[in-house]
Amino acid sequence: MVEPQYQFDYIPDFTYSEIEQRISVMETDMPFELNETIFSFINYFTVRNREYTRMVLARKDHYFPLFEEKLRQKDMPEDIKFLAVIESGLNPKARSRVGAMGLWQFMPGTGREYQLYVNQYIDDRQDPIKSTEAALKYLKNLHRRYGDWELAMAAYNCGPGNVNKAIRRSGGKRTFWEIYRFLPRETRSYIPQFQAIMYVMRHSEHHNLYLEDPTFPMEFEQIAWDGHLDLAHFSKHTAICVEDLEFLTPSLVASRIPKLAREISLRIPKSHVDYLVANQDWIKDSLNVQATQFVAETAAATPPQTSAGHTVTYRVKSGDVLGAIAQQYNVSISNLKNWNGLNGNMIRVGQVLHIHQPNSTLNQRAIASSAKPLQVDSENGSKVYTVQPGDSLWLISSRLEGVTIEQLKKLNNLNSNQIKPGQKLIIG
């Protein structure tokens, strides 16, 4: 007989006056005066949603040192680092329902304004360093406008237009609490949550908020990578696991990236840097593939159905694993997990996965290619096709009525789907 197991989480009682006393001696360069609204959010983070607070405590050592360094460089209050907790829960891949991304939740338009660029392979909004520099620059510009950090953060949340409107409707008041009731509902909660987190993360031990398994930041160095990148093959050649690569460089939104016009800022575990620097030439050579072949292989992963938002719906089949699905759709494993709320790598047969795909002409190219007839020769009584640059087994089979990829492999004694230009294939 299996006995039930109970987990008890001791939650210390506290009073308003106790919190007020702790805040009164708290060293901070931000305005902070306790009120009932802030107190209610302190109760939320220490009583009602303790798991969220523990999650953030587990992540803070990965990102707070970066925030603190950048804030010192810009001569800004160090406690602004807590704003990223409210924005994203310190998740560099956080995505809002309206499309804001990253630790600091930049919308595409605002991101472009601050040199955070997005394509189907790289999203700078998910880059911890670039997005932090952009967010602090934006906040400092807002502070110059309002002369008040709370108003600057309110404008960061709802936009300067809404803050200006609230100032006018308040009769020209210039502090957050003076214009509080004229702000949008979400922003009225935004600053109190920020101040509550300022307190909670300083006094987590008073609320029995400890990490059972402490986390330690991974030491890394940043290198500039200017060639084709396939994470699976890169991992194989460098002995760096894909999960570490994706964690350290969360701006990668695809698992395979062709040579781009700009270099990729790739973060590598410090223990592997010397080996990579010494061997990067042959590693790049081994990863280099023809651009046309890359396009053809990507086109082969034509999604079964797409929505107007280019989100693929995929139903898990027997034998599927996350890594293979991610590679099929050219996305990272971590993105696939984030989009579907997965904490681990376990998936079950019949489970529906949602996969975000960028706008692309790859499918149109594949369709156009498949419409062209094959130029076939005859050799020893067999029909033979000479492989052209950009061909793949999928493209060739799609141009042969009734011939599958497996049949092509069997006819030509192929153990994999790899073919190369100039190779002769028997097609019938």
Side-chain angles (χ1 to χ4, degrees), residues 26 81 117 205 222 327 372 396:
M26 196 166 76
K81 65 188 179 186
Y117 302 110
E205 72 281 357
Q222 184 164 297
Q327 188 170 24
K372 298 176 183 177
I396 295 169

Side-chain angles (χ1 to χ4, degrees), residues 197-246:
I197 280 291
M198 283 174 58
Y199 163 83
V200 170
M201 297 193 73
R202 279 188 169 93
H203 296 280
S204 57
E205 72 281 357
H206 287 113
H207 300 275
N208 194 35
L209 287 164
Y210 295 97
L211 294 178
E212 294 181 4
D213 299 308
T215 59
F216 302 96
M218 190 184 304
E219 290 190 343
F220 68 88
E221 287 190 18
Q222 184 164 297
I223 66 168
W225 188 265
D226 62 355
H228 170 78
L229 180 64
D230 182 311
L231 289 185
H233 291 156
F234 186 89
S235 171
K236 178 181 177 182
H237 292 311
T238 60
I240 307 171
C241 73
V242 172
E243 287 76 10
D244 285 347
L245 289 168
E246 291 182 343

Side-chain angles (χ1 to χ4, degrees), residues 27 48 79 108 132 137 163-164 198 206 257 294 339 387:
E27 293 185 9
R48 294 162 52 200
D79 283 344
T132 297
K137 184 177 181 181
V163 172
N164 294 341
M198 283 174 58
H206 287 113
I257 302 173
F294 178 76
W339 294 331
V387 177

Side-chain angles (χ1 to χ4, degrees), residues 393-394 396-398 400-411:
L393 287 182
W394 180 86
I396 295 169
S397 69
S398 68
L400 295 169
E401 187 175 349
V403 179
T404 67
I405 293 175
E406 289 305 315
Q407 288 171 333
L408 284 174
K409 290 169 68 176
K410 189 173 181 180
L411 282 170

Side-chain angles (χ1 to χ4, degrees), residues 71-300:
L71 286 162
R72 283 193 299 270
Q73 290 173 0
K74 293 186 177 293
D75 193 27
M76 295 170 68
E78 186 178 297
D79 283 344
I80 287 177
K81 65 188 179 186
F82 295 112
L83 199 65
V85 175
I86 306 305
E87 285 289 343
S88 66
L90 299 182
N91 177 7
K93 289 183 174 291
R95 178 191 181 97
S96 78
R97 56 182 174 77
V98 294
M101 292 292 295
L103 288 167
W104 299 92
Q105 291 291 279
F106 273 96
M107 293 293 289
T110 311
R112 284 192 297 272
E113 186 179 344
Y114 286 88
Q115 288 76 55
L116 298 178
Y117 302 110
V118 181
N119 60 32
Q120 66 194 87
Y121 306 110
I122 305 288
D123 190 336
D124 286 343
R125 297 173 299 167
Q126 297 178 192
D127 184 300
I129 296 175
K130 290 180 181 179
S131 66
T132 297
E133 291 174 342
L136 300 191
K137 184 177 181 181
Y138 185 25
L139 282 163
K140 195 156 191 174
N141 289 341
L142 292 170
H143 182 258
R144 290 193 193 99
R145 177 181 297 194
Y146 297 109
D148 180 277
W149 283 114
E150 288 184 339
L151 288 187
M153 291 188 294
Y156 188 92
N157 175 252
C158 67
N162 282 315
V163 172
N164 294 341
K165 186 190 302 181
I167 290 172
R168 288 196 303 271
R169 293 176 65 189
S170 71
K173 304 295 184 182
R174 302 288 297 187
T175 70
F176 174 78
W177 293 105
E178 287 174 330
I179 69 171
Y180 173 83
R181 64 193 183 96
F182 302 107
L183 289 166
R185 184 190 299 272
E186 179 184 335
T187 309
R188 294 201 298 268
S189 298
Y190 187 73
I191 299 302
Q193 286 183 65
F194 165 77
Q195 291 171 319
I197 280 291
M198 283 174 58
Y199 163 83
V200 170
M201 297 193 73
R202 279 188 169 93
H203 296 280
S204 57
E205 72 281 357
H206 287 113
H207 300 275
N208 194 35
L209 287 164
Y210 295 97
L211 294 178
E212 294 181 4
D213 299 308
T215 59
F216 302 96
M218 190 184 304
E219 290 190 343
F220 68 88
E221 287 190 18
Q222 184 164 297
I223 66 168
W225 188 265
D226 62 355
H228 170 78
L229 180 64
D230 182 311
L231 289 185
H233 291 156
F234 186 89
S235 171
K236 178 181 177 182
H237 292 311
T238 60
I240 307 171
C241 73
V242 172
E243 287 76 10
D244 285 347
L245 289 168
E246 291 182 343
F247 176 79
L248 288 173
T249 313
S251 58
L252 302 179
V253 295
S255 61
R256 295 186 301 174
I257 302 173
K259 183 177 175 64
L260 302 176
R262 63 184 178 112
E263 294 178 329
I264 301 171
S265 297
L266 198 61
R267 297 183 182 91
I268 302 297
K270 203 164 188 176
S271 58
H272 292 75
V273 170
D274 289 343
Y275 173 82
L276 179 59
V277 170
N279 296 278
Q280 63 176 323
D281 288 340
W282 75 260
I283 291 174
K284 285 181 180 178
D285 286 343
S286 68
L287 292 175
N288 187 34
V289 296
Q290 294 182 357
T292 51
Q293 182 70 21
F294 178 76
V295 168
E297 289 176 358
T298 309

